[in-house]
Amino acid sequence: MSPPAAGGLAGARGEGGGAGVGRVFVGAGCNRVVNNVSWGACGLVAFGAQNAVALFSPLRGEIVTTLPGHKATVNCTLWLPTKKDVLQIRSRERHYLLSGSSDGIIMAWKIDSGKGEWTHALQLPMMHKKGVTCLAGRMVSDTVSIFASTSSDGTVVIWKMEDEPTSVGSCEVSCLHSISVGPKPMVSLSLAVLPGQGGHLILAMGGLDHKVHIYCGDQSGKFIKACQLKGHSDWIRSLDFSLPVMMGSEEHSLFLVSSSQDRTIRIWKMNSDAVSSAHTTSRKEDIGIASYIEGPLFVSGNTHYQVSLESLLVGHEDWVYSVEWQPPTLLTDDEAHQPMSILSASMDKMMMIWKPEKNTGLWINSVTVGELSHSALGFYGGHWQPDGKSILAHGYGGSFHMWRDVGLGSENWQPQIVPSGHFAPVSDLTWSRSGEYLLSVSHDQTTRIFAPWRSQVSPGDVTCWREIARPQIHGHDINCVAFIQGTGNHRFVSGADEKVSRVFEAPLSFLKTLQHATLLKTDNSGDFDNVQVLGANMSALGLSQKPIYTHGPRETQSSISNDRPDSMETIPDAVPTVFTEPPVEDQLAWNTLWPETHKLYGHGNELFSICCDHEGKIIASSCKAQSAPVAEIWLWEVGTWKAVGRLQSHNLTVTQMEFSRDNAFLLSVSRDRHLSVFSIRKTDDGAEHHLVAKLEAHKRIIWACSWNPFSYEFATGSRDKTVKIWCVQDSSSVKLLVTLPQFHDSVTALAWTGRDRASNAGILAIGMDNGMIELWNISGGRASTDSSGSDYGES
């Protein structure tokens, strides 16, 4: 689920001492911006997940931590040392990660890969007035790094980072120089060390003016414009310098690759040219065709450099957002080898590896990989693993795609397991009735199922949480979900920014996949024969999901497309699959849908909250409302799916509802600052209900409520930063028992679980707007206010 702006977990407070809490799983989607992902030499991949920076291990295929701190969306990340700094990486355990956000803030994080510790190093001085869009840098010595940042405010800033390996303190970062680039900002940067120049640097920047601008400088940070490279006809989206390459008998050459929204990739070659200054002057005066083909000259230090266009690569069918040279390898202790191989990623859903052909030297596309998704948009970036054996892409759906070369004699790139999660706010979640898996919904218009996947192959029964299904891929933002309790097949009901609730039922393919994941027999594994639906197909408009039956004719896609050969609405058929290992992104997006079995019509506005009783007989739903008639709560009977009640009490949107554990009462809270308790009784004709109590409970919007599992006590949480404990007395009134001490931020979520029925003891989890979660010990309906907890610092 998308990490909040800040994260943390406080120990349980009150009688009974602290509670031991450990992180089991983090799910997060990748922000949909170009320079968001960075694969470090330490082996970890960093990416922005909303306002947090997340780190995931490609070897384990799971997110290891999140780094909260930014107050705005993270746009770009950069590891130091980079993958190109192979000489500085040797036996290095301390790495730094830079992250830039849309409010112009750049933060530095210290990663001790040997100890597995991550700490916030410092926040850089505020030099950008708008969002940071790209970071690029290199290490110029074992302790000094030079990096550059660009922003949509039209400035490029040069920074210096100094790190003392023997020191336990933080690094020092200073601003060396600021370059104003005018009204058309730069969106891509690349920095390199010029060969044979004793630390002279070259900076390439590209952006909205379709040109590549070359600047030269040194470690003092003073950069001077050297030349500009023309050729692209649209925005330049990515730049990357190679390490110096020895080409035959020539001096070392430096290569720069650039990609653009004009769908092309250009490789520029920079040769050192020991020509006289007089010859240089005559060259500048010569503006004939020969000088145009050769390209511009520029001077750095005592050396002249000749720029020429090495190759023009045409193969992508949409904007090319990313290009990256394959990382160098270390041949000896003091020599690095640069492979002549380039990875490109495009909005055409393809990644390509380009290499020069052995005999002719012409650059050709040697490998192509891609994704199959419901979106017409593709990849924002592609990245090499430091050893060049794997490639990683991040796409429009906030998803990662990784391929690894598993071929022995020849290249064979196969998909690998990567983390996944929502890329927009997670609006609701619920556990399955037996707790085997977690179901979450989001404004990214998907419903996802996360479950622990137990491996029989690995020793020690290794369990990793994975996304095992994506039951609903919708055309509207999904706001609420409830698992339907009781016996029978797995079912849930969800509500989105539409006036109808939708009921989904697990297909046979999911039930068997769940059995493989848990290595256990599911509670209805003997009833597989009764489930006649194998999977589901996505409709053309992305709203309803049609069932695919185990024994029934399936309309082929070819017969559909023959009638409308040019239709944009025809999409491939799903292939429901029983997975014996965790599915990858393409499989999740197409082959794990659940069929929609019913629609519940009645509300006048978009659905906002939904819940089910603990017997699986009644569903309650509410919608966005600004008047009492629209704010009524609808009751639906499971099975007949008929409306059996309309509860009127609130004047504004009902934000959350919950049935008491014995289903005798329904609790609701609202934007109108009131809580309501209804008495509910199931009858043969539907349900009887009456209002037990309604009272103004808080001074601001009430966001959350939760019942005590052992009694008629409940908690409410509000934007006024308070949590109150209430009790239903004699089934006729509600009494306030206690108000917890005021919290630091708005309370947005509550969950009450029981520990000991005899003493009526439980734990209340309280979630806040700043991302913090606090656990409170509650006994006998009262919470002790003396804090004996501890901060665990978990995200």
Side-chain angles (χ1 to χ4, degrees):
M1 289 54 71
S2 300
L9 190 63
R13 293 211 246 172
E15 298 172 0
V21 180
R23 180 180 54 244
V24 174
F25 165 72
V26 178
C30 183
N31 291 342
R32 301 187 292 178
V33 286
V34 178
N35 300 302
N36 188 33
V37 176
S38 179
W39 197 332
C42 61
L44 295 176
V45 175
F47 65 96
Q50 296 295 94
N51 300 353
V53 179
L55 304 180
F56 89 78
S57 168
L59 294 177
R60 293 157 54 184
E62 59 185 1
I63 296 173
V64 294
T65 192
T66 53
L67 308 175
H70 284 285
K71 293 180 172 60
T73 303
V74 176
N75 285 338
C76 50
T77 57
L78 173 69
W79 286 98
L80 290 174
T82 69
K83 289 177 286 190
K84 291 183 171 61
D85 298 317
V86 288
L87 299 178
Q88 289 80 21
I89 293 170
R90 294 170 294 180
S91 67
R92 185 184 183 96
E93 291 191 348
R94 183 185 298 180
H95 295 254
Y96 286 93
L97 174 65
L98 300 169
S99 57
S101 59
S102 57
D103 58 359
I105 297 294
I106 301 175
M107 289 188 176
W109 313 85
K110 184 168 63 175
I111 316 294
D112 193 326
S113 57
K115 299 179 181 178
E117 296 176 352
W118 301 271
T119 56
H120 179 263
L122 75 161
Q123 179 175 315
L124 275 60
M126 185 79 174
M127 294 297 295
H128 293 295
K129 298 177 182 178
K130 294 183 179 180
V132 182
T133 54
C134 185
L135 294 165
R138 288 291 301 277
M139 292 199 73
V140 294
S141 72
D142 288 339
T143 59
V144 178
S145 303
I146 303 292
F147 65 93
S149 62
T150 183
S151 167
S152 48
D153 63 4
T155 61
V156 175
V157 179
I158 313 298
W159 307 83
K160 181 179 183 180
M161 175 186 285
E162 295 182 87
D163 174 37
E164 185 59 47
T166 59
S167 170
V168 295
S170 298
C171 60
E172 293 184 2
V173 177
S174 54
C175 176
L176 301 181
H177 186 47
S178 180
I179 304 170
S180 177
V181 296
K184 294 185 176 181
M186 300 291 118
V187 295
S188 55
L189 299 172
S190 184
L191 189 68
V193 179
L194 283 168
Q197 278 296 305
H200 278 250
L201 303 172
I202 181 170
L203 173 66
M205 57 181 76
L208 280 59
D209 63 356
H210 312 170
K211 303 172 187 175
V212 179
H213 301 268
I214 303 296
Y215 284 75
C216 292
D218 53 29
Q219 295 188 30
S220 68
K222 186 67 176 178
F223 279 77
I224 301 172
K225 187 168 184 178
C227 64
Q228 60 186 28
L229 310 179
K230 301 178 181 178
H232 286 294
S233 59
D234 207 334
W235 289 15
I236 294 170
R237 300 311 305 238
S238 183
L239 296 165
D240 193 33
F241 276 112
S242 69
L243 256 59
V245 178
M246 179 73 78
M247 303 288 288
S249 59
E250 299 179 5
E251 294 290 329
H252 283 89
S253 300
L254 197 64
F255 287 90
L256 171 68
V257 60
S258 61
S259 69
S260 167
Q261 291 180 183
D262 65 9
R263 309 180 183 184
T264 66
I265 301 167
R266 290 174 180 261
I267 304 174
W268 311 87
K269 183 179 179 182
M270 300 177 184
N271 275 338
S272 57
D273 188 6
V275 295
S276 64
S277 59
H279 181 70
T280 305
T281 306
S282 64
R283 266 292 317 272
K284 289 181 178 179
E285 293 173 355
D286 179 14
I287 55 174
I289 186 66
S291 66
Y292 180 79
I293 295 173
E294 288 180 355
L297 272 173
F298 66 89
V299 180
S300 178
N302 300 322
T303 308
H304 305 280
Y305 291 87
Q306 171 72 60
V307 184
S308 58
L309 180 64
E310 171 75 6
S311 185
L312 172 65
L313 310 182
V314 180
H316 286 292
E317 298 177 355
D318 208 333
W319 296 357
V320 185
Y321 265 136
S322 169
V323 282
E324 185 177 297
W325 287 96
Q326 183 175 337
T329 55
L330 195 62
L331 298 180
T332 63
D333 287 343
D334 57 356
E335 186 176 351
H337 169 65
Q338 171 66 64
M340 296 302 285
S341 178
I342 293 171
L343 176 68
S344 63
S346 167
M347 267 288 139
D348 63 5
K349 306 181 188 178
M350 295 292 181
M351 274 207 307
M352 296 181 179
I353 297 177
W354 305 82
K355 295 180 180 179
E357 205 269 330
K358 289 184 179 179
N359 297 325
T360 63
L362 294 175
W363 285 79
I364 59 171
N365 168 25
S366 62
V367 176
T368 301
V369 294
E371 72 158 344
L372 181 68
S373 72
H374 294 282
S375 170
L377 301 177
F379 295 145
Y380 280 107
H383 304 271
W384 290 96
Q385 188 178 10
D387 64 3
K389 297 291 181 62
S390 299
I391 53 177
L392 177 75
H394 64 104
Y396 180 80
S399 57
F400 286 107
H401 304 259
M402 188 167 72
W403 291 268
R404 184 167 181 82
D405 183 9
V406 297
L408 298 176
S410 59
E411 288 184 285
N412 180 17
W413 295 86
Q414 292 298 321
Q416 303 296 304
I417 296 173
V418 289
S420 64
H422 296 286
F423 63 86
V426 179
S427 47
D428 202 2
L429 49 79
T430 181
W431 288 97
S432 65
R433 61 188 173 214
S434 302
E436 310 124 300
Y437 56 86
L438 183 69
L439 184 78
S440 63
V441 296
S442 165
H443 291 170
D444 68 4
Q445 305 184 349
T446 64
T447 300
R448 305 181 190 230
I449 289 178
F450 300 94
W453 193 286
R454 291 178 170 83
S455 173
Q456 291 177 308
V457 179
S458 304
D461 190 26
V462 176
T463 301
C464 294
W465 280 73
R466 306 290 185 200
E467 183 180 353
I468 65 169
R470 206 165 292 173
Q472 184 183 11
I473 299 177
H474 205 35
H476 297 289
D477 294 0
I478 307 176
N479 298 322
C480 51
V481 67
F483 208 90
I484 299 175
Q485 304 299 318
T487 59
N489 197 4
H490 301 241
R491 292 178 296 181
F492 72 88
V493 56
S494 66
D497 277 345
E498 55 179 347
K499 302 175 183 180
V500 56
S501 305
R502 298 173 186 268
V503 182
F504 297 86
E505 183 168 340
L508 186 61
S509 59
F510 171 80
L511 298 176
K512 292 183 176 180
T513 297
L514 184 64
Q515 201 170 26
H516 284 291
T518 58
L519 300 182
L520 298 171
K521 276 200 168 188
T522 58
D523 52 6
N524 62 339
S525 58
D527 299 330
F528 281 170
D529 294 339
N530 298 330
V531 180
Q532 299 299 316
V533 177
L534 184 62
N537 255 327
M538 173 65 70
S539 70
L541 296 178
L543 293 175
S544 297
Q545 293 170 193
K546 310 293 185 183
I548 300 173
Y549 293 98
T550 53
H551 307 291
R554 290 178 56 191
E555 187 179 15
T556 62
Q557 191 62 34
S558 58
S559 64
I560 301 174
S561 58
N562 286 340
D563 297 333
R564 301 185 302 275
D566 298 324
S567 173
M568 293 293 290
E569 296 184 355
T570 58
I571 57 175
D573 279 339
V575 183
T577 307
V578 178
F579 295 102
T580 56
E581 58 183 27
V584 295
E585 177 66 25
D586 287 357
Q587 296 166 330
L588 287 168
W590 286 98
N591 302 329
T592 62
L593 293 171
W594 289 21
E596 180 185 313
T597 59
H598 296 89
K599 295 183 180 70
L600 309 182
Y601 294 95
H603 286 289
N605 284 332
E606 299 91 338
L607 269 295
F608 195 85
S609 178
I610 203 162
C611 71
C612 180
D613 70 355
H614 299 282
E615 293 181 349
K617 295 181 178 179
I618 296 178
I619 291 171
S621 62
S622 69
C623 70
K624 297 178 182 179
Q626 292 185 339
S627 63
V630 183
E632 59 188 6
I633 299 168
W634 285 59
L635 300 181
W636 310 85
E637 185 178 37
V638 175
T640 64
W641 306 110
K642 294 179 180 178
V644 293
R646 295 168 68 171
L647 316 184
Q648 294 185 346
S649 175
H650 296 286
N651 298 316
L652 296 174
T653 305
V654 174
T655 55
Q656 191 170 1
M657 301 171 292
E658 186 175 305
F659 283 92
S660 61
R661 191 53 57 102
D662 64 356
N663 301 318
F665 296 104
L666 174 65
L667 167 66
S668 64
V669 293
S670 168
R671 285 180 176 270
D672 63 10
R673 309 174 186 178
H674 286 70
L675 67 83
S676 298
V677 177
F678 300 90
S679 171
I680 306 291
R681 190 172 69 87
K682 185 77 174 65
T683 65
D684 294 337
D685 298 329
E688 292 180 355
H689 56 86
H690 75 271
L691 180 63
V692 174
K694 174 186 177 181
L695 51 94
E696 185 170 356
H698 290 268
K699 298 178 181 178
R700 302 290 299 277
I701 293 172
I702 308 175
W703 284 123
C705 61
S706 185
W707 283 95
N708 182 346
F710 299 146
S711 64
Y712 291 147
E713 296 155 1
F714 60 88
T716 57
S718 166
R719 183 180 282 176
D720 63 11
K721 304 179 183 179
T722 64
V723 172
K724 296 182 180 182
I725 312 294
W726 310 79
C727 178
V728 179
Q729 293 183 323
D730 303 326
S731 300
S732 60
S733 63
V734 171
K735 176 186 176 183
L736 176 64
L737 296 180
V738 66
T739 300
L740 302 190
Q742 190 164 26
F743 293 87
H744 296 296
D745 211 335
S746 170
V747 176
T748 54
L750 294 173
W752 197 329
T753 186
R755 289 202 303 169
D756 181 33
R757 182 179 293 274
S759 61
N760 193 21
I763 294 178
L764 181 64
I766 301 171
M768 286 169 277
D769 209 23
N770 59 4
M772 287 293 294
I773 300 172
E774 287 192 10
L775 302 181
W776 284 69
N777 281 318
I778 296 184
S779 180
R782 295 183 177 274
S784 175
T785 56
D786 56 327
S787 173
S788 57
S790 59
D791 285 335
Y792 288 85
E794 299 288 352
S795 300

